Every structure is written in structure tokens, then in C-alpha cells.
Amino acid sequence: MSPMPGPVAFKAACPDCRSRFELDAGALRLAIGVSRRTTFYSFTCPECGAAVRKPAGERIVELLTGGGVSTLRSV
């Protein structure tokens, strides 16, 4: 049997306070829309409390969904 992987941590940065940190899957939200403009991930900066929203390309979507991030799909 192979060992169970530990919790996934995602590296992130806040554009407001410029802090860099790691977030677990529960701290992130992923929205998958019909276009690039409506596909993004979001989180709240643990340092300054800013609501952060960043675009998510195919690779980011793949990494976040694979890491257990809660996903909302819009149609």
C-alpha cells in the first residue's frame, strides 16, 4: 500500500499587501465559467483580509480541482 498523501497547500500572493502564503483547499474557491473572463479562483488574504480574485487558466483549474478546491460551475 502506498502512503496517503498529506493535505495539499497552494502558494498564493495578495496583490494588495503583497504578502505570500500557503492556503489549504478549504480557503480557496474556484468558479468555472463559459469564458476566460468568467473562470477564476478567489480567496481572502489571511494577512490583510482583502478579497482576492485571480484568473484561472486550464492548468490552474486542473491543479485546484485535483487538490480538492470547492468548484462552482456556471452555465
Side-chain angles (χ1 to χ4, degrees), residues 48-74:
C48 72
V52 179
R53 177 176 160 162
K54 295 188 175 187
E58 287 182 32
R59 181 71 179 135
I60 297 293
V61 169
E62 190 177 298
L63 290 170
L64 294 178
T65 55
V69 172
S70 176
T71 304
L72 172 68
R73 292 184 186 270
S74 60

